[in-house]
Amino acid sequence: MLELAILGLLHEESLHGYELKKRLDEMLGALAGVSYGSLYPALRRLERAGAIEALDPAEPVSPFPVTGSISGETAAARVRRRLTPSRRKRKEYRITDPGVALLQELLEAEQGADDDRGFAVRLAFCRYLDTEARLQLFERRRAWLAEKLDRVRNALTPTGNRRRLDLYTRSLMEHDDEVTRRDLEWVDALIAAERAGAHEVSHTPITSREGQ
Amino acid sequence: MLELAILGLLHEESLHGYELKKRLDEMLGALAGVSYGSLYPALRRLERAGAIEALDPAEPVSPFPVTGSISGETAAARVRRRLTPSRRKRKEYRITDPGVALLQELLEAEQGADDDRGFAVRLAFCRYLDTEARLQLFERRRAWLAEKLDRVRNALTPTGNRRRLDLYTRSLMEHDDEVTRRDLEWVDALIAAERAGAHEVSHTPITSREGQ
DNA sequence: GTCATCATGTAAGCCGTTACATGATTGC
DNA sequence: GCAATCATGTAACGGCTTACATGATGAC
């Protein structure tokens, strides 16, 4: 899970551990608040496995030489902190070709792809899958949610041997029911969008958000 | 977490491990699918700690002697399986007085009471808390959710340094935003109901559920 | 007699955490 | 020079899973 996320982030851009954690925290919901005691060992494992490699700090990797302004990022950076924040003892990692293959593999893996966290992380990087694999991921999630909804519904209906629930437990289950139904609708929308070919996934209209 | 749930269930009724797992599975969302490899060791730990005790199989505990029909349960039971399904080598556990104290303590503990699972399990047994402790639990959850919502909102608004999100990640975050807002509303309803003294918590009207 | 289910347990391992230790760089 | 933040790591431990091992009971 963590390794999947690391590979996913490094596929976009080379990063060092500390920065990686910040990205992970932004990606929250899933994987927010992962600890360094977990992150750094994961990086070493991936490095030993050849999925990522540490960059030589002497020669920077950017396609452009690092002489002066680096695209538009500079203007914003100047405001918040000085230029060239670089060169601590930090180790920047880059994903390797086998690493990209591993990312694909982990994204498609069935192991733990169903639960909330597993799905969230996979969805965050599913742009690296082809449409078919993506649909497979969505359908699996859908089935899982449908099953979950079924179980809640079953626990909620007073069929036969069912013990009666206290009000708090009942409220919990009703809420669970509602949330799961919404999750299902969402996944259905993702599937529909994927099938339509157009990736107009950003469906959520939501009650006017002029507040901020 | 598991121990809390075990104590909560045993507070209602004495049970053996296998049956306990079934209840846990029904309580799903949180703690559904917990494994025996996790459950039995937990029972032993609790027993060693004196929080629960195994019943002497010779003398059953029920307030009524076990001669023939045991309340209304019998009629239903007769249909699905024969009477007296009892007496394997199963070990029935009962909660002790120190166990009840431990249950209280765990319910009020701040450790891990905020996340989805922790809150769900506590809510399922919060009837064993007094109104004040319950409100404290709800308020803590509320604060946690508010903070989470804030982080999502922040990641979602294109402020300054923010990298632009791909469509899938954006959809994920928007969904997260929506779900978290609903969670907040729900907790607010719980708090309001608690404050009103009446425990009319079962608010959810939900779109007509004639389907089943 | 044999299969499904009930029932209890152990061992190995995974994945993560907390707490601790260390040190570089920069702003003031 | 000192504190805040950036940055990397290790050690111990926690909680849960999987896979395995075992056996009793009841249905057919």
Side-chain angles (χ1 to χ4, degrees), chain B residues 46-66:
Chain B
L46 286 170
E47 193 181 15
R48 273 202 306 264
I52 63 175
E53 59 189 10
L55 266 56
D56 185 349
E59 35 168 339
V61 254
S62 60
F64 328 93
V66 209

Side-chain angles (χ1 to χ4, degrees), chain A residues 12-13 19 23 25-30 32 73 76 80 116 119-121 123-127 134 138 148 150-157 160-164 166-179 181-183 186 190 194 199-204 206-207 209 212, chain B residues 12-13 19 23 25-30 32 73 76 80 116 119-121 123-127 134 138 148 150-157 160-164 166-179 181-183 186 190 194 199-204 206-207 209 212:
Chain A
E12 282 176 285
E13 188 179 357
E19 183 65 27
R23 305 282 173 111
D25 285 342
E26 279 170 27
M27 216 182 91
L28 66 108
E73 202 78 334
R80 33 182 52 254
D116 294 353
F119 179 69
V121 173
L123 183 62
F125 300 112
C126 77
R127 61 173 172 280
R134 215 145 41 213
F138 297 168
K148 182 184 169 188
D150 226 62
R151 284 199 307 268
V152 187
R153 291 264 218 252
N154 201 280
L156 226 30
T157 49
N161 62 326
R162 200 64 58 204
R163 286 156 291 284
R164 64 223 175 294
D166 81 299
L167 290 173
Y168 299 108
T169 308
R170 168 161 287 276
S171 179
L172 175 65
M173 283 176 163
E174 281 170 358
H175 181 65
D176 220 28
D177 177 296
E178 202 201 325
V179 167
R181 272 189 304 111
R182 287 194 180 272
D183 277 358
W186 175 51
L190 286 171
E194 199 67 33
H199 301 286
E200 304 153 321
V201 181
S202 191
H203 60 105
T204 4
I206 304 185
T207 56
R209 203 183 293 169
Q212 68 109 305
Chain B
E12 282 175 285
E13 187 180 358
E19 182 65 26
R23 306 282 173 113
D25 285 342
E26 278 171 27
M27 217 182 90
L28 67 107
E73 203 77 335
R80 32 183 53 257
D116 293 354
F119 179 69
V121 174
L123 184 61
F125 299 112
C126 76
R127 60 172 172 280
R134 216 149 37 216
F138 297 168
K148 182 183 168 186
D150 226 63
R151 284 201 307 270
V152 186
R153 291 265 218 251
N154 200 280
L156 226 31
T157 49
N161 63 325
R162 200 64 57 203
R163 285 156 293 282
R164 65 223 175 295
D166 81 297
L167 289 172
Y168 298 108
T169 308
R170 167 161 290 276
S171 179
L172 176 65
M173 283 175 163
E174 280 169 359
H175 181 65
D176 221 28
D177 178 295
E178 202 199 325
V179 167
R181 273 188 304 110
R182 287 193 180 273
D183 277 359
W186 175 51
L190 285 172
E194 199 67 32
H199 301 285
E200 304 153 322
V201 181
S202 190
H203 60 104
T204 2
I206 303 184
T207 55
R209 206 183 291 169
Q212 68 109 305

Side-chain angles (χ1 to χ4, degrees), chain A residues 94-116:
Chain A
R94 160 172 47 184
I95 195 168
T96 64
D97 286 350
V100 175
L102 178 58
L103 174 57
Q104 292 283 331
E105 198 185 311
L106 290 175
L107 276 173
E108 290 179 56
E110 290 166 28
Q111 262 292 349
D114 304 319
D115 62 89
D116 294 353

Side-chain angles (χ1 to χ4, degrees), chain A residues 68-84:
Chain A
S69 65
I70 317 114
S71 81
E73 202 78 334
T74 321
R78 194 172 42 190
V79 184
R80 33 182 52 254
R81 60 184 66 262
R82 53 179 244 77
L83 300 178
T84 61

Side-chain angles (χ1 to χ4, degrees), chain B:
Chain B
M1 202 76 287
L2 216 201
E3 308 195 357
L4 168 53
I6 291 173
L7 290 172
L9 286 172
L10 290 185
H11 193 276
E12 282 175 285
E13 187 180 358
S14 294
L15 295 166
H16 56 273
Y18 194 84
E19 182 65 26
L20 217 34
K21 171 157 166 47
K22 278 201 268 179
R23 306 282 173 113
L24 250 18
D25 285 342
E26 278 171 27
M27 217 182 90
L28 67 107
L31 291 192
V34 67
S35 70
Y36 291 117
S38 180
L39 178 60
Y40 286 115
L43 284 170
R44 300 204 70 192
R45 278 198 309 275
L46 286 170
E47 193 181 15
R48 273 202 306 264
I52 63 175
E53 59 189 10
L55 266 56
D56 185 349
E59 35 168 339
V61 254
S62 60
F64 328 93
V66 209
T67 52
S69 66
I70 318 114
S71 81
E73 203 77 335
T74 320
R78 195 173 39 190
V79 183
R80 32 183 53 257
R81 61 186 65 264
R82 53 178 245 76
L83 300 178
T84 63
S86 54
R87 213 53 48 79
R88 301 289 150 72
K89 200 183 54 181
R90 63 192 186 173
K91 268 162 75 179
E92 203 166 331
Y93 289 102
R94 160 172 44 185
I95 195 168
T96 63
D97 286 349
V100 175
L102 178 59
L103 174 57
Q104 291 284 330
E105 199 186 311
L106 290 175
L107 277 173
E108 291 179 55
E110 291 167 26
Q111 262 293 350
D114 302 321
D115 61 89
D116 293 354
R117 238 174 117 150
F119 179 69
V121 174
R122 275 167 182 83
L123 184 61
F125 299 112
C126 76
R127 60 172 172 280
Y128 300 128
L129 291 171
D130 54 72
T131 305
E132 203 187 331
R134 216 149 37 216
L135 272 169
Q136 218 172 296
L137 176 67
F138 297 168
E139 296 283 11
R140 276 184 62 90
R141 172 67 173 173
R142 203 203 177 282
W144 189 83
L145 285 171
E147 208 181 298
K148 182 183 168 186
L149 185 61
D150 226 63
R151 284 201 307 270
V152 186
R153 291 265 218 251
N154 200 280
L156 226 31
T157 49
T159 323
N161 63 325
R162 200 64 57 203
R163 285 156 293 282
R164 65 223 175 295
L165 310 156
D166 81 297
L167 289 172
Y168 298 108
T169 308
R170 167 161 290 276
S171 179
L172 176 65
M173 283 175 163
E174 280 169 359
H175 181 65
D176 221 28
D177 178 295
E178 202 199 325
V179 167
T180 307
R181 273 188 304 110
R182 287 193 180 273
D183 277 359
L184 258 175
E185 282 166 25
W186 175 51
V187 175
D188 281 339
L190 285 172
I191 291 172
E194 199 67 32
R195 287 246 164 79
H199 301 285
E200 304 153 322
V201 181
S202 190
H203 60 104
T204 2
I206 303 184
T207 55
S208 64
R209 206 183 291 169
E210 77 291 339
Q212 68 109 305

